[in-house]
Amino acid sequence: ISAFYGGSFGAGLSTKSGYNFRNSNDFMIASPRLSGWRAEAHHSFGEDSANSKNGTTNQLAIDYRGGKSYFLAGYVEARPLVSSPNVYKGVVNRQYALGGSYDIDKFRIYLGYFKNKQSDNLIDKDLYSISAAWFVTPKDQLSIGYTYIKANADAANTDKTFTGNGHSNHFGLLYMHMLSKRTTLYFSGAHITNSSGMRYAMAAAQAPQASLLNRPAAGDSTTGVQFGI
């Protein structure tokens, strides 16, 4: 539901959503694609034999692919791994995704929505995204996009001055050139503006704690570029 890939700087929806769970011992069941529709479900058992719910994740998704259109709806319910007696005990994180794309000649237009809410109220945010991919040649793709982040709570991306109802704007760009079937040259960049108390950073600078000094000061903007092969 986005014109970007993985954790590149330009990918606002995927890098700012907060989905970062590591799924262990995953059981998956999926339907065949029927009239364009397909459903899939996952259950990850985690790694704690003493507590069957510790670190478990449930995921459900349904998607449709037909002609020029694509649609996806997904749900995740995760119980973060309890790392000490009082960290994440009893916490449930729920995430919802909805979006799709439509092809127009050499362009693919994407709309996406993502909700992340945690039962301990450390995370409660909504992301709205619009992006487009231009398939310039069979080997070249240019993607641009905008993601609006509305947060009532996001402990990892705010500071102590944050009082809720904050927002950030993420503007992204990605260019890829396929050198071969296995090798891609890419360039990506982004500009992020933060409202008061917000500290969203580039994808690679998303440290697990807001106190670490690789984020902009609260309310400041940040710009970054990356390239590689």
Side-chain angles (χ1 to χ4, degrees):
I1 56 177
S2 170
F4 298 88
Y5 296 89
S8 68
F9 281 6
L13 189 64
S14 61
T15 62
K16 302 300 177 286
S17 63
Y19 181 85
N20 56 3
F21 298 104
R22 296 183 181 273
N23 300 324
S24 297
N25 304 311
D26 184 77
F27 172 79
M28 184 268 282
I29 185 170
S31 73
R33 193 169 293 279
L34 301 172
S35 300
W37 293 94
R38 181 177 181 271
E40 185 173 319
H42 290 252
H43 176 74
S44 299
F45 291 91
E47 300 176 343
D48 189 346
S49 60
N51 185 340
S52 61
K53 291 185 177 181
N54 190 15
T56 61
T57 303
N58 296 306
Q59 302 182 75
L60 297 171
I62 184 171
D63 76 323
Y64 170 81
R65 189 183 301 277
K68 299 180 179 181
S69 303
Y70 178 77
F71 168 80
L72 169 72
Y75 170 73
V76 177
E77 180 183 280
R79 289 172 170 79
L81 189 66
V82 177
S83 55
S84 67
N86 297 313
V87 178
Y88 294 131
K89 186 175 182 179
V91 172
V92 179
N93 180 278
R94 294 182 174 89
Q95 305 183 13
Y96 310 82
L98 184 68
S101 66
Y102 188 78
D103 295 348
I104 305 174
D105 196 20
K106 291 186 176 183
F107 298 88
R108 183 170 294 157
I109 312 301
Y110 296 82
L111 291 174
Y113 167 75
F114 197 95
K115 171 74 176 181
N116 187 337
K117 185 171 176 59
Q118 196 157 287
S119 60
D120 59 2
N121 296 319
L122 292 181
I123 304 175
D124 182 6
K125 61 182 177 180
D126 301 86
L127 290 81
Y128 305 86
S129 173
I130 182 170
S131 58
W134 176 23
F135 302 99
V136 185
T137 74
K139 294 185 176 182
D140 296 273
Q141 177 182 330
L142 176 65
S143 297
I144 59 171
Y146 167 70
T147 301
Y148 176 76
I149 307 159
K150 182 181 182 300
N152 293 313
D154 194 356
N157 294 290
T158 57
D159 79 346
K160 61 184 180 181
T161 66
F162 183 69
T163 58
N165 196 30
H167 67 271
S168 295
N169 300 286
H170 181 285
F171 304 89
L173 174 73
L174 172 67
Y175 172 76
M176 298 189 302
H177 175 70
M178 288 64 172
L179 297 173
S180 69
K181 290 182 178 180
R182 297 179 180 87
T183 309
T184 301
L185 183 69
Y186 69 91
F187 169 85
S188 184
H191 177 70
I192 301 172
T193 63
N194 292 300
S195 68
S196 178
M198 304 277 279
R199 299 184 66 190
Y200 279 94
M202 295 295 116
Q206 296 254 47
Q209 300 178 34
S211 60
L212 300 181
L213 300 179
N214 57 352
R215 292 175 178 271
D220 282 359
S221 61
T222 181
T223 302
V225 296
Q226 64 180 169
F227 61 90
I229 187 170

